[in-house]
Amino acid sequence: MTQDAEKLKDRLIRSRKQEDGELPAFISDSFAVEKNNVHGYPVYRLIPERAEGNIFYLFHSDYVHPMRKNEWSFIRWLCRMTGMAVTVPMYPLAPEHDCEEVFDILIPAYQVYCKRREAGNLILMGSGAGAGLAVSLMLQIWKEGLSDPDKVLLFSPVLDTEFFDPQLEKGVMRKMGEKSFLPMKELLNETWVKNYAGRMEFTAPVYEDLHDISQDIIVVSGTKDYFNIYARYFSTKVQDTGNPLKYFEYGGAERDFFLHPERKETKHLQKILHDFLLDTDEEIIYQYMEEVRQRAGWSKFFPEIFTDEHAVKYVAAHPVRGKKEIHSQNIFNLMGASVQRAYDEAVNLFLKEYPDGNVIYVGCSLDTMLERVDNGRVMWYNLDSPGRMAIRTMYTGLGKREKRIERSVHDLSWMKKLSLETDRGVLFVIKDIFAYMSRKEVREFLDQLYKNFQGCNVLFDMATPRANFMFNLLGRGRGGEYRKKHLAMRDPRREVEAMSPIYHVVTVRSVVDDIRPRKDWRMGLKLQLMSNRRRDAWKIVHIRLGYERYKTFREMETH
C-alpha cells in the first residue's frame, strides 16, 4: 500500500468517535428497540406502535465509518412517518474487515428479518455505500430464492469499488480530484475488495444483469455527489430493461444532503418519500399532477379545441379528495387549450413533411403529446428533469418509439445524449420555457442547438408584453405552480431574426386565429377571446437554425 493510502487509512480510523455506531438515547426513548446479534454484530430493530410494514436499512458508511447520529435522526423520521419497523444491521467495516465478511452478516440477517416481517410492505433501503450493498443484496436475494422486497430505495449509491469502467472512473476523479481519488481507490482494493476481486455482484453490482431485481426502485442522487455518474448509469441501465425505475436528482446537492432536514431539497424529498412509501398522493404527487388535471379541464370545457384522453382517464380514476375543483370555462383554460392544440398541429405539419423525423420534446413534463400526434413512424424523445420523469413513469408507460432523457432543460449536456438521424429531419418542441428566460439565455440556448444540430427546426410559444403582464397579474391566484414570465415579443419574426443571421423564421401563427366562440360561452369570455385575437397576444413560432435543410419525404423518394 502506498504512503498516501496508508495516511488515508490512519486518518479515517482516527476520525471515528467513541459514540459512533451506538444507539442514541433519542431512539430508545422514541421506540421499542430489539437488539439481536448475527455472528457477533449487533442488529437493531426499531418498532413503532402498531407497526405495519418493514424497512431493512443499510447505512451510509463510506465502507469505513460507523453509523452516525444524523443518520439515526433520519431513520427516526422514517420510522415515525411510515409507521414501519426499521431493521439496521451494524455490518463490518474496512480497513479491519472486507466485503466477504459483510455479506456473511447481511444475507443471514435479511433471512431472519424476512421470517419475522409484520403485515405490510417489505422495503430494502440503503444510502451511500449501504445503497451499493443493497443492490448486491438484491442480486443475492434472487439467487438464494429469498423474499423479494416490495420496494427498493437507494440514496446516493456507490456501485463500483473496483472502478472497472474507465469513463465512469474519470467522472468520479474529476469531482473528487486525483490526489483524493487514487488513495481511496487503492485503500478499497487493498482492504475491502481483497479476495472478492472480479466478483462484481459483490464489489461492482452496477455491471451485473439487472433484469430480475425489484420492479419498484427509487434512486436519489445529488449532482455534487462524487458518484452521481454511477447513479445516472445505473438508473438508465435498469430502465433499459423495461423496469419503471424512478430517478430523482437534486442540482447542487451533495451525497448526504438528505441527512440535513433543514435543506429545501431534503424537505422536497421527504414529501416524495411519504407518497412513495405510503402509496398516496397527498404530499407532492398531487402537485405534480396538477398539469394533468388542467389538460383534463381543457378537454372538458373546450373539447372542440383540444382533447387529451389520457388526462381525462387519469382524472376519472383519481377524483379530487377534499379539494375544490378549480377548473372552469375561463380565459386561462381557453388559452391553454389553444396553445396546446397549436403545438399539436405544428408537430403534425412537421411529420407530414418528415414522417420518419426526430421530435425532441424539451421540458415535456407529463404531457402525452406523442399519443396525440403519433404517425406510427416518428422517433420521439421526451426530456425533463429526473424528478418529473420519475413521476411521468408512474403516469404513463414508455412508447415503442419513445426514448426518455432525464436531464434539466438548462443542463445542456443532454444534447450530447441525442443520437439522431439528421437526414430525416429534427424538430425541437420547447413549450412554455423561453418566456422564463432572458433574451441572452434564449440566444445561447439556440446557438447550442445550432452548433449540435445544424438545420434543425424549433417550435416555441411567445406572448406579447401586455399578455405577459396580465398573466403575471392574474396568475398568482389560479392555484397550481406559479412562476413569473419575463421574456415577451411584439413581433417575433423581426425580433428573432434580429438575434442572429442564422435564425430563419419559417412561420408565426396566432394560437386563436381560427377559434370561434360557442353560443354557451359567457359574454366576458367571448370579449376576452376577441381582445386576444385583435392584439395577436399569443403565437407559436417555428424557426430553422441555419440554412441547411434536411430532405423532405418527397425529395428522399425521388433519389
Side-chain angles (χ1 to χ4, degrees):
M1 193 181 298
T2 64
Q3 188 175 4
D4 286 342
E6 286 285 357
K7 287 181 179 178
L8 176 61
K9 174 183 174 181
D10 293 340
R11 186 168 71 249
L12 290 171
I13 293 175
R14 288 197 306 271
S15 70
R16 295 174 179 172
K17 298 177 182 178
Q18 185 175 356
E19 64 271 20
D20 288 347
E22 295 181 0
L23 189 73
F26 65 78
I27 294 293
S28 53
D29 291 343
S30 303
F31 311 101
V33 178
E34 292 181 4
K35 182 180 178 181
N36 299 300
N37 283 279
V38 176
H39 298 325
Y41 287 88
V43 178
Y44 295 103
R45 184 170 173 78
L46 284 55
I47 309 173
E49 227 178 305
R50 294 186 296 276
E52 292 186 12
N54 302 270
I55 297 173
F56 192 79
Y57 188 93
L58 302 178
F59 64 92
H60 194 308
S61 66
D62 282 335
Y63 301 103
V64 296
H65 293 300
M67 189 161 169
R68 293 179 173 173
K69 190 174 180 179
N70 61 346
E71 194 157 12
W72 279 116
S73 297
F74 176 67
I75 288 176
R76 177 176 63 176
W77 173 83
L78 272 175
C79 201
R80 284 176 171 173
M81 184 271 289
T82 62
M84 298 179 181
V86 182
T87 300
V88 187
M90 299 289 107
Y91 56 83
L93 302 169
E96 297 90 345
H97 306 279
D98 58 33
C99 69
E100 183 174 4
E101 298 174 74
V102 172
F103 287 100
D104 286 343
I105 302 300
L106 292 186
I107 294 173
Y110 186 86
Q111 282 178 311
V112 170
Y113 168 69
C114 289
K115 291 177 182 177
R116 298 188 52 206
R117 57 184 294 189
E118 290 87 2
N121 283 334
L122 169 59
I123 296 170
L124 176 59
M125 190 179 299
S127 62
L133 294 175
V135 177
S136 293
L137 183 57
M138 275 194 287
L139 296 171
Q140 298 309 307
I141 288 169
W142 179 79
K143 289 181 180 178
E144 298 285 337
L146 302 177
S147 298
D148 289 331
D150 298 292
K151 299 175 187 284
V152 177
L153 274 77
L154 307 174
F155 302 102
S156 304
V158 182
L159 296 163
D160 182 2
T161 55
E162 295 195 63
F163 302 100
F164 284 104
D165 189 308
Q167 293 303 314
L168 297 177
E169 180 184 20
K170 286 178 183 177
V172 177
M173 194 183 303
R174 278 195 298 270
K175 288 189 175 184
M176 188 177 287
E178 188 173 326
K179 289 185 178 180
S180 298
F181 173 77
L182 292 178
M184 179 206 70
K185 177 183 176 181
E186 183 181 2
L187 180 64
L188 284 175
N189 273 281
E190 291 287 335
T191 65
W192 178 262
V193 175
K194 293 179 70 175
N195 298 330
Y196 272 31
R199 296 184 65 180
M200 292 186 294
E201 70 270 28
F202 298 105
T203 64
V206 71
Y207 306 113
E208 289 292 286
D209 183 352
L210 303 174
H211 280 80
D212 294 310
I213 61 175
S214 173
Q215 291 298 302
D216 198 347
I217 303 177
I218 301 169
V219 179
V220 177
S221 182
T223 57
K224 285 191 176 180
D225 177 7
Y226 299 143
F227 299 95
N228 172 247
I229 191 170
Y230 282 98
R232 289 181 172 183
Y233 178 81
F234 173 81
S235 299
T236 301
K237 182 175 178 179
V238 173
Q239 288 168 342
D240 287 345
T241 68
N243 188 320
L245 176 145
K246 305 167 189 70
Y247 177 54
F248 292 88
E249 184 176 272
Y250 292 86
E254 299 81 11
R255 56 183 167 154
D256 63 346
F257 76 91
F258 53 91
L259 301 180
H260 302 278
E262 73 283 355
R263 295 191 57 163
K264 64 178 183 180
E265 297 92 346
T266 304
K267 292 176 181 177
H268 180 272
L269 177 61
Q270 286 177 347
K271 293 179 179 180
I272 291 289
L273 295 179
H274 176 280
D275 283 357
F276 278 125
L277 292 176
L278 300 181
D279 295 315
T280 75
D281 63 0
E282 297 171 0
E283 289 287 332
I284 195 73
I285 294 176
Y286 182 90
Q287 296 177 31
Y288 275 103
M289 302 310 293
E290 176 59 24
E291 63 170 278
V292 176
R293 297 184 182 278
Q294 284 181 341
R295 283 195 293 275
W298 303 343
S299 304
K300 174 182 177 181
F301 294 109
F302 306 104
E304 74 282 7
I305 298 174
F306 171 80
T307 300
D308 185 336
E309 293 181 0
H310 204 101
V312 171
K313 290 177 182 177
Y314 175 84
V315 170
H318 300 81
V320 177
R321 298 187 300 275
K323 299 181 193 265
K324 184 179 179 181
E325 182 61 69
I326 63 170
H327 300 302
S328 63
Q329 200 179 76
N330 59 39
I331 189 62
F332 284 107
N333 283 328
L334 173 60
M335 294 304 293
S338 301
V339 170
Q340 191 70 69
R341 186 191 70 161
Y343 269 105
D344 290 359
E345 290 179 347
V347 174
N348 276 322
L349 286 174
F350 171 82
L351 293 179
K352 286 181 181 178
E353 190 172 12
Y354 303 100
D356 297 304
N358 306 277
V359 177
I360 304 91
Y361 195 168
V362 180
C364 64
S365 197
L366 306 184
D367 191 6
T368 52
M369 186 187 291
L370 174 58
E371 293 187 8
R372 299 192 300 270
V373 304
D374 193 3
N375 65 352
R377 298 165 66 175
V378 61
M379 190 65 228
W380 194 276
Y381 297 80
N382 279 318
L383 181 151
D384 213 322
S385 65
R388 288 200 178 275
M389 295 303 275
I391 302 296
R392 185 184 181 89
T393 298
M394 299 172 58
Y395 174 55
T396 179
L398 189 68
K400 291 182 180 179
R401 281 163 287 99
E402 175 193 355
K403 295 185 179 180
R404 293 182 180 175
I405 301 174
E406 297 179 338
R407 288 289 186 278
S408 165
V409 170
H410 304 287
D411 176 5
L412 299 186
S413 66
W414 58 260
M415 295 186 187
K416 303 296 183 184
K417 293 179 70 67
L418 291 172
S419 179
L420 306 178
E421 296 183 49
T422 53
D423 61 339
R424 297 187 176 188
V426 178
L427 174 68
F428 289 90
V429 177
I430 307 177
K431 180 177 180 288
D432 201 29
I433 291 177
F434 283 173
Y436 300 100
M437 294 183 177
S438 67
R439 200 171 293 258
K440 179 183 178 183
E441 289 172 331
V442 171
R443 186 168 61 248
E444 290 173 348
F445 188 97
L446 292 175
D447 284 346
Q448 285 298 313
L449 284 182
Y450 170 74
K451 180 179 177 182
N452 289 279
F453 311 99
Q454 292 187 28
C456 69
N457 295 268
V458 181
L459 277 180
F460 62 93
D461 55 287
M462 187 58 59
T464 62
R466 178 176 175 80
N468 256 15
F469 172 78
M470 295 304 296
F471 176 90
N472 292 329
L473 180 67
L474 301 175
R476 292 182 182 274
R478 294 176 54 224
E481 184 180 0
Y482 168 77
R483 292 183 297 160
K484 185 177 180 180
K485 293 190 174 186
H486 300 284
L487 183 61
M489 295 181 183
R490 287 186 176 85
D491 184 353
R493 182 179 295 277
R494 180 180 59 81
E495 294 179 58
V496 168
E497 291 189 342
M499 285 185 181
S500 172
I502 63 173
Y503 302 167
H504 171 63
V505 176
V506 179
T507 59
V508 177
R509 178 194 168 198
S510 170
V511 301
V512 295
D513 264 353
D514 55 353
I515 303 295
R516 295 293 175 262
R518 295 198 314 259
K519 290 181 179 180
D520 64 332
W521 287 7
R522 292 179 294 104
M523 181 55 67
L525 182 59
K526 293 178 182 179
L527 293 174
Q528 287 172 317
L529 172 63
M530 290 172 59
S531 175
N532 275 275
R533 182 180 293 127
R534 185 175 66 255
R535 297 177 185 277
D536 219 7
W538 210 323
K539 307 176 187 71
I540 294 292
V541 185
H542 177 186
I543 67 175
R544 187 164 55 246
L545 304 182
Y547 295 97
E548 302 84 351
R549 291 191 72 246
Y550 305 126
K551 292 179 179 179
T552 66
F553 175 68
R554 293 184 180 86
E555 290 170 336
M556 293 176 71
E557 288 286 296
T558 57
H559 282 74

